Amino acid sequence: MQTWAIANQKGGVGKTTTTVALGSLLAAAGERTLLIDMDPHASLSGYIGVEGGTHGSVYDLFGTSGNAIPLPVRTLVHATRWDRLSVLPASAAMITLDRQLGTRAGQGLVLSQALAELAPDFDHVLLDCPPTLGVLMVNALAASDRLVVPTQTEALALAGLERMLRSLSMIERSRGRPLPRTIVPTLYDARTHASRACLAQLREQYGDSVSEAVIPTDTQIREASAAGIPLASWPAAKRGGMAYRQLLDELRLPAREASVASSARDAAA
Ligand code: ADP
Ligand code: MG
């Protein structure tokens, strides 16, 4: 099972859009995919139409609900209308977790433990993160094999990216192994100087960490989310859909290379 965190310490940069787009493309490609809504604002849950308030949510993983016996994690996972696409939703109560857990030690691996329980059921897990560094973000980064940082191509967004990368190096130190990252330029409008200048700056400053794929501003992406339909099932989003497909190919490359290398090793053995 591969787990990717989609995070940036800024709102409105395309985190939720990217999570749903990549998740729906993975599911359409045959992978059993779980989307986890780590953001108390619950945008992803609302987009997909699974409300955490009544169904249980990420909140319940943290054992603060007063249940004497922890719930089996599977009971919090919901199928969606789309084949192979499941959701573990968020709820507003998650906003209180930092206050409730602030002083308790050992709360950073709660999500990793929950995912270990789900590993037989899924090939891929995508974590839609909140824009703040707290217990939810720390859990997400601790549980991930890759970090995807959607970054809006405008000057003000670079500060959010820098904050995110600082948090990442702090968390990498505590997890003791590096977390590969991919910065994804989003909301790109080639007609504006601001977008072009920002993309050039991203490439200059962050080099290979920036994806080749650039996600354009595509009003059909907004239409799809307003209709509650993931991108893979919204053919009108041609430009956006193509860009997200290209991004997914790039993100899957390291895993493919590793599996080719391991089958080559097996063949040689
Ligand atoms: P975040 O999760 O980072 O807060 P969202 O994914 O919710 O950001 O995106 C913020 C808003 O921008 C949403 O209304 C979404 O539909 C819209 N949006 C995101 N990406 C695009 C895009 N490539 N083209 C057009 N609209 C987009
Ligand atoms: Mg969001």
Side-chain angles (χ1 to χ4, degrees), residues 6 10-17 19 37 39 41-44 128-131:
I6 323 302
K10 184 172 187 315
V13 297
K15 295 183 293 296
T16 300
T17 303
T19 308
D37 193 347
D39 187 348
H41 290 113
S43 314
L44 180 141
D128 185 19
C129 293

Side-chain angles (χ1 to χ4, degrees), residues 11-17 187 215-218 221-222 225:
V13 297
K15 295 183 293 296
T16 300
T17 303
L187 290 153
I215 312 300
T217 299
D218 177 347
I221 288 182
R222 208 167 273 134
S225 102

Side-chain angles (χ1 to χ4, degrees), residues 43-82:
S43 314
L44 180 141
S45 311
Y47 183 158
I48 297 297
V50 178
E51 297 299 333
T54 45
H55 293 93
S57 74
V58 167
Y59 182 76
D60 299 285
L61 298 177
F62 287 85
T64 45
S65 319
N67 297 321
I69 304 166
L71 289 166
V73 180
R74 270 191 195 89
T75 62
L76 303 172
V77 172
H78 298 271
T80 69
R81 292 191 279 143
W82 296 278

Side-chain angles (χ1 to χ4, degrees), residues 187-191 213-221 231 234-247:
L187 290 153
Y188 181 70
D189 183 350
R191 293 167 307 183
V214 173
I215 312 300
T217 299
D218 177 347
T219 51
Q220 285 298 327
I221 288 182
L231 206 65
W234 193 265
K238 284 201 187 63
R239 289 185 315 124
M242 229 159 61
Y244 273 116
R245 271 190 193 88
Q246 187 194 344
L247 174 63

Side-chain angles (χ1 to χ4, degrees), residues 56-118:
S57 74
V58 167
Y59 182 76
D60 299 285
L61 298 177
F62 287 85
T64 45
S65 319
N67 297 321
I69 304 166
L71 289 166
V73 180
R74 270 191 195 89
T75 62
L76 303 172
V77 172
H78 298 271
T80 69
R81 292 191 279 143
W82 296 278
D83 289 343
R84 294 176 295 278
L85 190 65
S86 301
V87 176
L88 202 171
S91 64
M94 285 155 60
I95 206 131
T96 65
L97 283 173
D98 276 308
R99 190 157 37 81
Q100 291 189 59
L101 300 173
T103 52
R104 282 194 228 169
Q107 289 297 321
L109 295 175
V110 170
L111 181 65
S112 304
Q113 283 150 11
L115 290 182
E117 245 181 273
L118 297 175

